[in-house]
Amino acid sequence: MTWSDSLRRVNLPDGRRVIGASFRGVAFHVETSERTGGRRTVKHEFPQRDDPYVEDMGRQARVFRVNGYVLGDDFAKQRDALISALEDQAGPGELVHPYYGAKRAICSGFTFSDARDDGGMSLFAIDFEETPVQPTAPTEAPDLPGVVDASSDDALGAVQGDFEGTYDVDGMPSFSLESASRVLTDMSEALGEALAPIIESTQEMAKLTQQIEIIVAQASALVREPAEILTAFRDTLAVLVDTVAGAPGSVLQAFSAAYTADTGPVVLETTATREQERANQLALDAALRRILAIEAARLAPLAEFESIDYAISVRDQIIEMLDEQAETASDDVFPFLIQLRADVVRAVPSQATLAREITMEQRTAIPSLLLTYQLYGSVENEDDVLARNGVRDPRFVSGTLRVLSDV
């Protein structure tokens, strides 16, 4: 076997197989070939030193310079095809080189010439640069849960500052604080009732119960300390570390349920004292509901939703709470609630692919196991099918059913 036997061969348009090259499948003859390479370096020369430091920055891109030609009665057609392969298509292509084999390369430049004396030939000088397969360049994706978290903190700060500026108990008699105390007690107890069914940890349940009992027992004292009221209420949420991490969706729903709690009738403005009592009562009621709406918004991007329809319904519920509070908020709070609203809209549903709830018609009654297998190729989602449709007898399932498009 001679050295020429190892050279790559290509198929010409007329069917001949000869030593040559091709790019994107367009073949041409090769007259000469050069390859450039080396290392990328940076030379550092320092004052008062005779020995420079040469920093190695990695291998240079290899450049294959090919001098070739096309010839024959149809040389013009071959020439145009090669030109198109070199410059009309974006990105790299396959270069078959007679000496170096198949390479992934891109044409960085070429020249060609036609001469009357040559007759039926086009000469090419082409530079190919190697472009090895590389991993996809990283793309920057916004941290939407982080954005919502930051907006929630900003909104809470605005709510706290606005509340302390509005709530005034200086010189107020004890009886005029009973309505504010009732608001704090009722809202805390409602929050505890909404959270109790979803807390699996006995320790967390004990901490939550204790925190609420503290608020109820100290409500009359807390309402005299505007800076402490909202902090005490938020402390009831801080004990739910495990539950929030494991079931953010359930906690979110509990916040939504507590948000609608009834805190009793509003005080009538019969005297100047009652006017301030009413203002305090409304300020505290709004501040506590805003905390629940903000914390629900904070959890929304972290929740795992079973379908895009459910995610949108929960998001809309949160948006409704934020809109309701924004309508009565001061100019100091309003922009923060609106910003949080916008961030929640962007973050929920998340970028993850979620199933969509669809409606199907099951004309004949079949067992739920068979129906589930027909829908999903497994029976793992039977419970979801039963619960979503309120099926009483899993042996006979028929009629108009709501199921997930994909799971």
Side-chain angles (χ1 to χ4, degrees):
M1 179 176 178
T2 64
W3 65 272
S4 62
D5 293 332
S6 63
L7 299 182
R8 296 296 292 262
R9 285 166 168 74
V10 294
N11 294 319
L12 295 178
D14 60 8
R16 288 180 297 155
R17 184 169 179 80
V18 299
I19 296 173
S22 69
F23 186 63
R24 300 189 194 276
V26 179
F28 57 96
H29 296 273
V30 174
E31 185 70 28
T32 62
S33 174
E34 300 176 21
R35 197 191 91 170
T36 63
R39 306 290 295 180
R40 290 178 290 116
T41 61
V42 176
K43 182 169 63 176
H44 303 277
E45 296 180 298
F46 304 96
Q48 307 302 320
R49 290 186 58 179
D50 295 334
D51 51 338
Y53 169 65
V54 180
E55 184 176 3
D56 190 336
M57 305 296 289
R59 181 173 64 79
Q60 289 184 3
R62 291 170 179 158
V63 177
F64 302 93
R65 183 164 296 138
V66 178
N67 296 307
Y69 57 92
V70 294
L71 78 166
D73 293 338
D74 62 344
F75 84 97
K77 182 178 180 181
Q78 296 182 53
R79 177 198 61 199
D80 294 343
L82 181 56
I83 292 173
S84 178
L86 295 173
E87 67 178 4
D88 289 347
Q89 299 183 49
E94 184 184 53
L95 167 66
V96 176
H97 194 284
Y99 295 97
Y100 305 113
K103 298 289 183 181
R104 180 180 168 90
I106 191 168
C107 174
S108 59
F110 71 91
T111 62
F112 77 93
S113 62
D114 295 326
R116 183 182 61 184
D117 293 340
D118 293 333
M121 174 186 290
S122 289
L123 302 176
F124 281 83
I126 312 169
D127 288 337
F128 294 102
E129 292 191 17
E130 67 168 352
T131 55
V133 178
Q134 299 178 1
T136 303
T139 57
E140 182 179 355
D143 177 15
L144 296 179
V147 171
V148 172
D149 187 64
S151 295
S152 298
D153 286 340
D154 293 341
L156 285 175
V159 169
Q160 178 78 35
D162 182 69
F163 173 71
E164 293 180 13
T166 305
Y167 190 86
D168 184 10
V169 293
D170 289 344
M172 297 287 290
S174 297
F175 73 84
S176 64
L177 299 178
E178 291 179 359
S179 57
S181 178
R182 185 179 66 250
V183 168
L184 180 59
T185 299
D186 290 349
M187 192 70 76
S188 299
E189 290 179 342
L191 179 62
E193 292 175 2
L195 289 170
I198 67 173
I199 300 177
E200 297 182 358
S201 169
T202 304
Q203 185 176 8
E204 277 197 348
M205 189 67 238
K207 288 181 180 179
L208 176 66
T209 302
Q210 182 184 32
Q211 191 65 37
I212 292 176
E213 289 176 349
I214 291 174
I215 291 179
V216 172
Q218 299 180 353
S220 58
L222 284 172
V223 292
R224 290 192 175 276
E225 301 292 338
E228 302 297 328
I229 300 176
L230 303 189
T231 300
F233 186 73
R234 287 196 64 205
D235 285 346
T236 62
L237 313 180
V239 303
L240 304 173
V241 178
D242 293 339
T243 301
V244 169
S250 299
V251 176
L252 189 153
Q253 290 295 332
F255 289 172
S256 299
Y259 176 86
T260 59
D262 182 6
T263 58
V266 180
V267 173
L268 298 177
E269 301 172 298
T270 55
T271 65
T273 298
R274 290 299 187 186
E275 287 181 5
Q276 185 58 48
E277 179 183 2
R278 177 189 176 92
N280 289 341
Q281 180 189 22
L282 293 177
L284 180 57
D285 185 88
L288 296 180
R289 294 185 197 277
R290 284 168 189 164
I291 288 177
L292 289 172
I294 291 169
E295 293 301 333
R298 189 196 302 273
L299 287 178
L302 305 177
E304 293 185 4
F305 299 103
E306 62 186 18
S307 69
I308 190 171
D309 306 87
Y310 181 48
I312 292 175
S313 69
V314 171
R315 181 195 67 189
D316 291 347
Q317 188 177 1
I318 295 172
I319 296 306
E320 184 178 350
M321 291 190 290
L322 293 173
D323 285 345
E324 183 178 17
Q325 292 306 315
E327 287 179 1
T328 58
S330 68
D331 292 342
D332 294 331
V333 177
F334 177 84
F336 293 97
L337 294 178
I338 294 303
Q339 181 61 53
L340 178 58
R341 181 192 192 280
D343 292 338
V344 170
V345 169
R346 284 194 294 268
V348 182
S350 68
Q351 297 177 349
T353 301
L354 296 176
R356 183 176 294 276
E357 188 177 81
I358 59 176
T359 301
M360 62 166 291
E361 194 71 27
Q362 180 61 41
R363 298 184 181 278
T364 58
I366 61 174
S368 58
L369 282 173
L370 176 58
L371 173 63
T372 305
Y373 186 81
Q374 290 178 346
L375 288 171
Y376 308 117
S378 72
V379 297
E380 294 180 358
N381 299 292
E382 182 194 17
D383 290 342
D384 179 81
V385 173
L386 296 176
R388 195 174 296 277
N389 295 281
V391 176
R392 295 183 179 181
D393 190 341
R395 296 174 300 173
F396 305 99
V397 182
S398 63
T400 303
L401 305 174
R402 291 178 293 113
V403 297
L404 298 180
S405 60
D406 189 18
V407 292

